[in-house]
Amino acid sequence: MSASSDHPVRLQGLVKIYTQGARQIRALHQVDLTVRSGEFVAIMGASGSGKSTLLHAIAGLTDVNEGKVIVAGQDLASFSDAALTRFRRKQVGMVFQAFNLIPSLTAEENIQLPAMELPDVKTRAEAILQRLGLLDRRHHRPDALSGGEQQRVAIGRALMMEPAIVLADEPTGSLDSRTGQELCQVLRDLVTREGRTTVMVTHEPRVAMWADRVVVFKDGRCLSEFPVTPNAGAEAVALAYEHALQSAA
Amino acid sequence: MRTILRLSWAHVREHPLRLSLTSMATAAAAAMVIWVVSGYDALLKTFDEYANLALGRYELSVAPISHFSQVAPGVIPAPAQKDVPEAAVALLRSDPAVRVADPMWALQIAVAHAEPSAVAGRRGELPGTVVGTGADAAPFDLVEGRWIEMSDGLKEEGVLSLAAAEAAGVRVGDELVLGSGKLQQRLRVVGLVSSPDVSGWSASVAKSQTMTPAVGGLFVSTKLLEQASGQSSRISFIGVGLKEGADLTPFRFQWSPRLSALATPCQFQEAHDIEEALDESASAENLEFQGHMAAAVSMLAAFFIILSTLNMGVTERIRQLAILRAVALTRAQTALLVVVEALLLGAVGYIVGCTSGWLLMKAAVATAPGLLEDGAVVGSFSLVLAAVCAFGGALLASAWPALRAMRVRPLDAMGKLAEPAPRGIRPVWLGAGLLLISVYPLMARVLPHGDEEPFVVYLLVGLSCLAVGVVLCSPAFVHLVDRSLSPLLAGILRIPPRLLVSQISSNLSRTLATAVALSVGLGLLIGIHVWGAHHAGRISPRELGTGCNDRLPPWRLGARSSRAGQCLEGHHPGPARGGGAAPAQGRSHPQRAARHRGAPGQRGHRRGGCGTRLWRERAAVQVPVGSRKC
Ligand SMILES: Nc1ncnc2c1ncn2[C@@H]1O[C@H](COP(=O)(O)OP(=O)(O)OP(=O)(O)O)[C@@H](O)[C@H]1O
Ligand SMILES: [Mg+2]
């Protein structure tokens, strides 16, 4: 197995600085992170700790000031804008807190979006709709779907191109706790059954407990990390997270 | 591409009201092009048909060159002797190639039913142009009766064109009265000929600008016409027929210099010359120019309407576009999305516009059959021009929104979008705007200009500067209005003033686009009115010389032309009834005028009092067709 398929995500010495007028904000500070193939990683941290920025850097949505982002064996810095879009479409599936579906398209069309040019788009979408239990909702527009259904559609869209990695930024943030748990189950199943590498940002231990590993972020730095055992509950994760924060302090 | 098509269509469909309003506006623009340009196409077709038939049994007609110099719009020709010299007839007859050379005298003179009661119920209008001739055979095929007996000089007989007879309800054997007062002559209709059956306004134009037997509605002997008019005969033109086997080209080649060397220089007209002359005539050119203007204005209208819709769409959809950039589309594809959307709007507008243009023509034909002479025929050129307007306007309009869409970054979908902060007044924009606005008045007042400057340049440069200037100044105006009126309006409407400001100033581009679209719409309306009135004044039945009874299309009828029309009811000698009718005073088109033969040398007569005098005199006397005596 090559290094790239072994480690779909490798971040080395990542620095991201936002400039706002004369003010500079260090959102990421020398971040190193590697995600193994088929691994489910949760990134936890306080608000403003740089979690989303990290995810955007992995997706190539934002330039970094220093360091390397290697996704599926490709250094993102080597891509032109159009090539990066094509790469992202193929290799990176994204799920956002706000669902970010296209309101004028049906659930099925939203799922098909990244793959509309492919000849087998219909069969792919069909399989995904079935897998996510959305077959009876396929012709509904987003405004006719519940929050949980919308987020499942978003997951479906992320899976459409069978990407090397799925990135999810607080996917349960807009859902009630029960629906949130159902969605976590969906993500977990994707990792367990299909070996889909997943990086998920959250600040909820109840969500992070579904992951294989939790990476703790603080002030743009990767503070520490801890594994999550299959039967660990939310409390155990919360304790481990608090411990990580305190030991750093 | 499938993604883009699907997305564009989905978005267009998402706002049915916006789609229908935008399409309706674009459709109206396209329909206008269809209407105007089809009119032009139909006119050319009529001219073509007319030119092929107008010479009748002759191959050529010989008429004074100066006759054809009257065609530039607004130009009143110099007083000129416009009759063919007598000598020309003998000269032509001496040529062995010539089969027949018939002098003809076309005169506007009153023609009436001799016993109106006898034709009650089938009485229509009788032709105003009578051709006096000594020809021994009818110039066109006889459809009924016989040709005038020419052996005796004063045979009280006449032959009517079939169209004129049908229009007036006259039959072979009926009696007519030629002329008025003591000179009146009675005559019997002995035959009907099938002269070119074109009617309406284009026929009037055709008859006024060519000299062929087709100008006449009634043919009589020259003697009879002399008696009825009290004038001695003249030769308006000569119908020339060649012997069988004679070659037309060398004949023309040999005769042209001799004709132009006559006391009154003359020239030949063949069918294709007639068609060319008609196509190039001021009326055709006016209509063509109108067609182009209509196309340009429609394109502009389509442009602004689609621009404001697309711009609004991009502003609303920044987040959606960002998502699309994040998960599916490249920058170029995002731009293409907007362009395709514009083309979709243009296409809907085009289809609806062409259909409604056609339906409009059908409705016009159904309600006023004489309005469109060829019926509801949508010309292929008009379809092409309407397509250029709808799609060209759409493409141009999509440029700026597409550029904006391209600049959307995927990250714009990730966070909350901040409300755009209202921008203050930009002094540079305001200054530049005021400077540009001053260009047109400066050009009009300060720069010297006479008749020779192409006014189109003034129009284009001046009005473009004015338009851009107003657009540049408008943000400042919006702010000023906002600041001064918003608190008041907010008070009346009982809404927080900040909210109102955010709706007006913060969405400045939308406010501006709406204002621009509105002003273009209004400008379009005013432009059409002004243009129509301007041309109605320019071309009037009197200037056409014949066919005073023919209808003008309604969009040419302004106050001036209807007054001119009143003065022309009937052709009886008497005091000037239409003395108050002002001549066309509009600016002439120097380039177009110059293209017409004989245009140089007439410049001194274009404007002013001479024209008014001319009009009075012409209204008072019988006017030989084509002759414009001052
Ligand atoms: N576009 C931007 N311009 C300037 N500063 C930014 C921008 N985006 C993020 N930041 C700053 O970078 C830091 C990290 O932001 P980021 O969004 O990554 O945090 P986060 O961990 O995702 O927070 P949250 O849990 O609230 O989503 C914050 O201080 C934020 O204010
Ligand atoms: Mg975040």
Side-chain angles (χ1 to χ4, degrees), chain B residues 571-589:
Chain B
H571 312 282
H572 309 279
R577 290 166 69 185
Q585 277 239 348
R587 261 175 217 261
S588 63
H589 288 263

Side-chain angles (χ1 to χ4, degrees), chain B residues 435-450:
Chain B
L435 213 67
L436 284 172
I437 288 176
S438 64
V439 168
Y440 192 52
L442 276 177
M443 281 175 81
R445 303 236 163 230
V446 181
L447 291 180
H449 65 99

Side-chain angles (χ1 to χ4, degrees), chain A residues 56 61-62 81-82 85 88-89 94 96 98 100-105 109 112-114 116-118 121 141 157, chain B residues 1-4 6-7 10-11 13-14 319-321 323-331 333 410-411 413-414:
Chain A
H56 296 158
L61 295 175
T62 188
D81 187 74
T85 305
R88 190 164 51 226
R89 188 161 60 198
M94 275 182 290
F96 311 94
N100 282 354
L101 299 177
I102 304 297
S104 52
L105 299 182
E109 287 168 335
Q112 290 175 347
L113 198 55
M116 269 186 192
E117 310 295 328
L118 298 184
V121 59
R141 298 257 179 95
R157 182 177 68 189
Chain B
M1 197 62 205
R2 211 183 328 161
T3 320
I4 294 186
R6 183 122 30 122
L7 280 166
H11 182 247
R13 221 178 30 187
E14 198 184 0
R319 199 180 175 92
Q320 274 187 52
L321 291 170
I323 298 162
L324 289 171
R325 283 282 287 117
V327 302
L329 302 186
T330 61
R331 234 181 232 155
Q333 285 174 318
L411 275 186
M414 307 307 155

Side-chain angles (χ1 to χ4, degrees), chain A residues 9-218:
Chain A
V9 179
R10 277 188 291 150
L11 309 177
Q12 295 167 358
L14 225 54
V15 174
K16 172 71 190 177
I17 300 167
Y18 289 110
T19 311
Q20 264 187 337
R23 212 160 68 96
Q24 288 203 325
I25 302 156
R26 263 178 191 268
L28 295 178
H29 198 80
Q30 292 292 342
V31 174
D32 295 303
L33 179 72
T34 305
V35 180
R36 286 189 306 279
S37 180
E39 191 182 16
F40 188 175
V41 174
I43 296 174
M44 288 186 79
S47 188
S49 58
K51 308 182 293 289
S52 295
T53 305
L54 181 83
L55 226 57
H56 296 158
I58 298 173
L61 295 175
T62 188
D63 298 330
V64 290
N65 298 79
E66 277 175 40
K68 270 190 172 175
V69 182
I70 297 164
V71 177
Q74 302 278 345
D75 186 347
L76 298 193
S78 65
F79 286 125
S80 68
D81 187 74
L84 189 61
T85 305
R86 283 192 289 272
F87 175 80
R88 190 164 51 226
R89 188 161 60 198
K90 211 164 174 311
Q91 301 288 3
V92 184
M94 275 182 290
V95 181
F96 311 94
Q97 178 182 349
F99 318 140
N100 282 354
L101 299 177
I102 304 297
S104 52
L105 299 182
T106 62
E108 186 172 16
E109 287 168 335
N110 263 291
I111 288 176
Q112 290 175 347
L113 198 55
M116 269 186 192
E117 310 295 328
L118 298 184
D120 60 343
V121 59
K122 284 226 172 261
T123 42
R124 277 182 190 226
E126 186 97 20
I128 287 172
L129 282 163
Q130 177 136 40
R131 204 189 319 165
L132 296 172
L134 287 167
L135 268 177
D136 56 336
R137 291 268 178 261
R138 63 200 294 175
H139 298 306
H140 290 64
R141 298 257 179 95
D143 56 6
L145 297 174
S146 72
E149 286 165 341
Q150 286 190 57
Q151 198 58 301
R152 273 190 282 159
V153 172
I155 292 174
R157 182 177 68 189
L159 296 177
M160 191 63 188
M161 294 295 282
E162 310 211 327
I165 177 164
V166 171
L167 305 174
D169 194 351
E170 303 198 33
T172 60
S174 302
L175 304 175
D176 62 69
S177 62
R178 211 180 123 195
T179 318
Q181 290 302 300
E182 282 170 14
L183 196 98
C184 291
Q185 182 72 61
V186 170
L187 288 173
R188 180 70 249 177
D189 286 351
L190 285 174
V191 177
T192 312
R193 292 194 195 149
E194 299 176 20
R196 190 78 56 203
T197 311
T198 303
V199 178
M200 176 180 70
V201 163
T202 183
H203 45 235
E204 293 179 76
R206 279 188 310 147
V207 174
M209 73 181 191
W210 294 88
D212 298 322
R213 175 162 62 119
V214 172
V215 177
V216 182
F217 256 69
K218 191 177 180 217

Side-chain angles (χ1 to χ4, degrees), chain B residues 309-347:
Chain B
T309 302
L310 290 179
N311 226 3
M312 212 185 286
V314 170
T315 309
E316 279 171 3
R317 281 188 306 159
I318 298 267
R319 199 180 175 92
Q320 274 187 52
L321 291 170
I323 298 162
L324 289 171
R325 283 282 287 117
V327 302
L329 302 186
T330 61
R331 234 181 232 155
Q333 285 174 318
T334 324
L336 193 62
L337 184 70
V338 179
V339 175
V340 169
E341 224 173 277
L343 290 176
L344 274 175
L345 288 173

Side-chain angles (χ1 to χ4, degrees), chain B residues 501-519:
Chain B
V501 171
S502 76
Q503 285 309 304
I504 301 175
S505 300
S506 307
N507 292 317
L508 199 60
S509 54
R510 190 185 302 184
T511 310
L512 259 182
T514 313
V516 169
L518 269 176
S519 41

